[in-house]
Structure formats: structure tokens, C-alpha cells
Amino acid sequence: MADNEVSSQNSQKSSQFSQSDLPELLNQYYKRLFPYKYFVQWLSYGGVPKTYFVNREFSFTLKDDVYLRYQSFSDQQELEKEILKRNPYKIDIGAVFTHKASLSLYFIYPKDHKMIKPGAFQAEEKELVFDIDMTDYDEVRTCCKGADICKKCWLFMVVAMKIVDSTLERDFGFQHRLWVYSGRRGVHCWVCDEKARKLSQNARSAVAEYLSVIKGGENQIKKVNLRRPYHPYIRNSLRILREHFVDLVIDKQDVLSSKERWDGVLALVPDSVRNELNSSWSKTKRSSRNRWEELDDWLKGSQKTETKDEIMFQYCFPRLDVNVTKGLNHLLKSPFCVHPKTGRVCVPISMRDVDTFDPFTVPTISQLCDEIDEHEKNSSDMIEEEKKKMPAYMKTSLKKPIGIFVQFLKGLESENDNRRKSFRDAEGK
């Protein structure tokens, strides 16, 4: 049985999720499991300035696609109360604005709008964010299309996370990078260093452009052009691509198995090589691995030494939605949301476990509600006080993902402490 068929069956078996149950399941999830405390701790960044969380924009998508932007909350209690009242199908996080905002029927305006000059309501800060979606790989993956994913093509996400994460640390010095599964077919990265949150829109655009190697739309055949000597970013990315390319593209995607597939690869090589291999491969039956080895031999003897590297980049280099990164006022789905189509929770991913992370084992909201009910049924002999002390998520499959999130928050504490100290020193003067 094919890997993608197995993955699909595993997905259906583990989810047991029905969209018709979503309103009630969300109500239970928000009451019992959503990690409000850690969520607010994250977005407060040590409470310096005190308005940092208060002036943050949240967006709720309600049932039937009712969309509420520019929500803001004074504290955890107010946020929790509104989420329980609205029961949102999706929560998006936006920028930190100059003022606390609210939504009128026709206009966005600050609550203290009479004291604010026109145009003074502006986005000031936001995490540097990245969005990588599997649909952007549809032209190079052969196993699935659109919203569908399987274990074969998930490796595209693994490669993307490895390259982007290492580059953000090595080339930009960013230390606080939170990777989150989108709940369906992609991943998000939140870069939370103070210097990243303060980047201007132009600076965000520059970072996005730096990370973008694949250029051109659907009608452009060759989308990667490399020139030696390679930039260190290209060299380091190439090291990761070489580790995964043959397994991912040649074996799992089987891109040289038929003329319909190998035409895309041969379109990237010199004419003389293309004509020779087209003729040879059309006459004989060979595996994609054998054909790749033959192509590799031909390219070693050609003057175009960059061609092999360009093929690897075009077929498995990260494909970023650069508009998400560039826009200071762009929204991004919150960690610990529930994807309304799959029922899966948007859980953090540890880069230490990125090679073994399996999107098909991510808990669904129905699974979590069943787990907590089962735990409480089987712990009837526990002292009531002990039950109350144990956080609800510890009784479910959210234990590990929230543990990853807590470790991420601990990493932020040093920077938060330094900011609090600087603020106290400034006040003392």
C-alpha cells in the first residue's frame, strides 16, 4: 500500500472528527484546554511596556465566516471571557498598535479616539513571521495536490524548516524562533526576538527577499539561477538540500519515472544533455534513482556545473509566502488554534524533533476532549485537591506540545528580564 494511502487512513482513524460537532468541541476546548496563561505570557513579553499586550490586535473568525478584526484585551481574564463568549473557529494574531483598538460597524478607531490625531493609529511592532504552505509545492510534488498531504510530501516542510531556521539563527542572529504546525498542510514560524519585533516593513521585506531563491511565476520554467562563488547562505542551504534531495525528490516523488515527469527536470539542463537523455530514457525502463545517477554523470562532464544544484534548489528549496513576512499589519493564525477542516490543533514543533514530527499524529479536538473525559473517569480515587492542581492539558496529548511552548517561553525570559531592568533603570533616573 502506498505511503500516502496509509497516511490518509491513519489520519481518518486518529481524528474521528466531525465538523458538525465543532461548536460544542470548541466550547469544551476553550473552557478546559486552551493555554491562556502561557499565551498571554508570550504576547506580553515581560510586560514592558505595560501596554504591549493591551494594544495587540486579535482577529476572530466565527461560525459561518463572520470575521472580527481589531479586537484588543486588557488582560488574560478579558481575553478568556471574550473567547468563551464568541467561541471562534479561528484566532489570528496581528500587530501591536499605538493604541488599544475596537471595531465599529464601518470604521476602525481607538477607544480614546477623541484624543488621537488622524493617522496616529498605526501598527508599531510585530513578530517577524513566515508562512510555508504545501500548495506552493504543487508543481514539484507528485503524490498529492491542493490541501492534501501525505508522509512523502511532508518532507518538503521538514527541509524548509531546517533551512529557514538555521538561516535565521546563523545569518541574522535570531534566537527565539517558534515553529508551529498550521493544523492542515503547512507550518508557521514566529521570530520573537525584540530586534525582530521592531523591524520596519522595509527591513522585513529585505529579510524575505534574502531568503527567496526561487523566482518567477507559473509560466517561468527555470526559477533558480546560481552563480559561483556561492554566497554562504546558498552553500549552507545546499548542504541541507543534498542530505534530503535524492530521498525526497528522486525516490519519494519519483520525478524521473515517466516522460511527463522528467520533462520538468530536463527542461533545466543544457540542450545537448536533454536531447541525449530524452532519447535514452524513452527507450529503456529504469528507476528514477538510476536516471538521476545518469543525469548526474552527464552534468559532471558539462561546463554548466551549477545545473545540478539549481535542480535541487528548484525542486525542494523553501517556498515562502513573502507577503506574510513583509506586511507589518498582516495577520497569522495563532498557535493552539483548531483547524476547522481537520480538527487538528496548531501545535508547536521542536526543531530537535523536526525529522520525526508527524502531522498525522497531531491531536484533534475531539481526541483531546475524549482524553480528558477518560482521565477524569479513571482518576475517581484521586483526591479532589490533587485533581485541581493538575492542569487539564497534562491529562491529554497536549502535554508535550505545551511543554515545547513553555520551554520556548523560558528561553525568552532572559531578554524579558533585561528589558524590565532597563525600564526600571530609566525610571530611576
Side-chain angles (χ1 to χ4, degrees):
M1 186 180 291
D3 283 353
N4 54 334
E5 292 174 345
V6 172
S7 299
S8 176
Q9 289 183 4
N10 288 342
S11 174
Q12 292 170 7
K13 182 179 177 182
S14 66
S15 66
Q16 299 176 340
F17 166 73
S18 171
Q19 289 187 39
S20 62
D21 296 332
L22 188 58
E24 177 56 31
L25 290 169
L26 281 172
N27 182 265
Q28 291 299 313
Y29 176 74
Y30 288 135
K31 276 183 181 176
R32 305 163 81 184
L33 290 170
F34 190 85
Y36 296 100
K37 174 185 172 183
Y38 299 127
F39 186 76
V40 173
Q41 180 184 336
W42 167 40
L43 295 175
S44 298
Y45 292 100
V48 179
K50 290 182 179 180
T51 56
Y52 205 88
F53 177 79
V54 175
N55 290 354
R56 171 79 69 165
E57 179 194 357
F58 294 89
S59 168
F60 294 164
T61 303
L62 310 183
K63 188 179 179 182
D64 299 323
D65 290 328
V66 176
Y67 191 50
L68 299 178
R69 275 202 72 170
Y70 296 94
Q71 307 294 299
S72 56
F73 307 101
S74 300
D75 51 29
Q76 177 183 329
Q77 184 179 6
E78 188 178 353
L79 171 70
E80 190 169 345
K81 181 180 177 182
E82 192 66 13
I83 286 178
L84 290 173
K85 174 186 172 184
R86 298 285 190 180
N87 208 34
Y89 276 40
K90 188 172 75 148
I91 301 170
D92 287 295
I93 300 173
V96 177
F97 281 79
T98 48
H99 303 87
K100 186 178 174 75
S102 64
L103 184 65
S104 71
L105 188 58
Y106 299 106
F107 302 101
I108 305 302
Y109 63 92
K111 288 182 177 177
D112 52 352
H113 62 283
K114 291 182 180 178
M115 298 184 293
I116 299 170
K117 296 177 181 178
F121 180 64
Q122 299 290 334
E124 284 192 313
E125 292 188 18
K126 194 186 73 171
E127 294 78 8
L128 179 65
V129 294
F130 299 90
D131 182 9
I132 308 173
D133 195 304
M134 193 74 81
T135 54
D136 292 323
Y137 292 78
D138 279 358
E139 67 177 4
V140 294
R141 61 177 178 151
T142 61
C143 51
C144 307
K145 295 294 178 188
D148 294 331
I149 65 168
C150 68
K151 288 185 178 181
K152 286 182 178 179
C153 56
W154 182 254
L155 189 51
F156 282 113
M157 294 294 105
V158 174
V159 172
M161 285 188 278
K162 285 184 175 182
I163 289 176
V164 173
D165 191 74
S166 63
T167 303
L168 290 172
E169 180 178 25
R170 184 188 62 248
D171 296 5
F172 295 96
F174 295 135
Q175 299 300 310
H176 308 294
R177 309 171 306 278
L178 177 67
W179 285 94
V180 180
Y181 171 50
S182 72
R184 191 176 196 183
R185 59 176 186 260
V187 292
H188 302 149
C189 180
W190 300 76
V191 184
C192 300
D193 302 58
E194 184 175 15
K195 62 182 180 180
R197 303 197 311 270
K198 291 181 179 295
L199 288 176
S200 67
Q201 186 144 327
N202 285 341
R204 291 166 194 267
S205 296
V207 173
E209 289 301 323
Y210 179 89
L211 289 167
S212 299
V213 175
I214 298 174
K215 308 280 188 181
E218 292 181 11
N219 297 323
Q220 187 165 327
I221 295 174
K222 190 171 186 293
K223 298 180 180 179
V224 177
N225 291 282
L226 302 179
R227 295 290 179 269
R228 292 184 184 273
Y230 290 162
H231 187 279
Y233 170 47
I234 299 297
R235 289 202 308 270
N236 286 306
S237 298
L238 193 55
R239 175 181 54 80
I240 296 171
L241 294 179
R242 284 171 177 160
E243 290 174 6
H244 294 283
F245 176 79
V246 172
D247 176 45
L248 169 56
V249 177
I250 303 303
D251 293 341
K252 287 186 169 63
Q253 297 303 313
D254 209 12
V255 297
L256 301 179
S257 61
S258 65
K259 190 175 190 311
E260 181 186 8
R261 292 183 180 181
W262 78 54
D263 276 347
V265 177
L266 293 187
L268 306 176
V269 306
D271 291 345
S272 58
V273 177
R274 181 187 314 125
N275 295 335
E276 187 69 31
L277 291 181
N278 241 326
S279 175
S280 170
W281 291 353
S282 297
K283 295 173 183 175
T284 57
K285 263 195 169 185
R286 300 177 196 174
S287 68
S288 282
R289 177 74 73 100
N290 291 148
R291 285 173 174 151
W292 173 251
E293 290 168 354
E294 186 178 358
L295 173 58
D296 190 14
D297 287 339
W298 273 92
L299 293 177
K300 285 176 184 174
S302 72
Q303 294 179 341
K304 187 72 172 164
T305 55
E306 295 86 1
T307 301
K308 178 182 174 182
D309 298 338
E310 290 174 343
I311 292 171
M312 287 193 279
F313 270 88
Q314 182 148 332
Y315 270 80
C316 61
F317 192 77
R319 296 173 177 238
L320 306 175
D321 185 341
V322 294
N323 291 324
V324 173
T325 303
K326 291 178 178 181
L328 185 59
N329 199 17
H330 205 293
L331 298 167
L332 189 62
K333 187 193 303 178
S334 166
F336 299 104
C337 261
V338 175
H339 197 290
K341 300 290 186 185
T342 65
R344 297 195 188 277
V345 180
C346 302
V347 295
I349 301 170
S350 168
M351 286 304 297
R352 286 178 297 183
D353 303 326
V354 68
D355 284 307
T356 56
F357 178 83
D358 183 352
F360 299 104
T361 63
V362 170
T364 64
I365 187 173
S366 49
Q367 175 188 335
L368 293 170
C369 290
D370 288 345
E371 284 176 356
I372 194 169
D373 287 342
E374 187 68 20
H375 184 280
E376 292 183 354
K377 185 172 70 175
N378 294 334
S379 59
S380 55
D381 56 341
M382 283 181 66
I383 301 172
E384 196 63 34
E385 191 173 330
E386 290 180 354
K387 283 186 182 181
K388 289 180 180 178
K389 283 182 180 178
M390 181 185 289
Y393 73 84
M394 294 288 287
K395 308 168 188 176
T396 73
S397 300
L398 274 184
K399 179 179 177 180
K400 181 178 179 181
I402 291 182
I404 293 170
F405 191 51
V406 170
Q407 284 301 118
F408 170 75
L409 294 178
K410 286 180 180 177
L412 274 174
E413 270 309 295
S414 176
E415 191 174 89
N416 290 341
D417 286 342
N418 291 337
R419 193 163 48 256
R420 280 190 288 259
K421 183 178 183 302
S422 297
F423 184 75
R424 286 195 300 268
D425 291 345
E427 278 191 327
K429 293 177 181 178

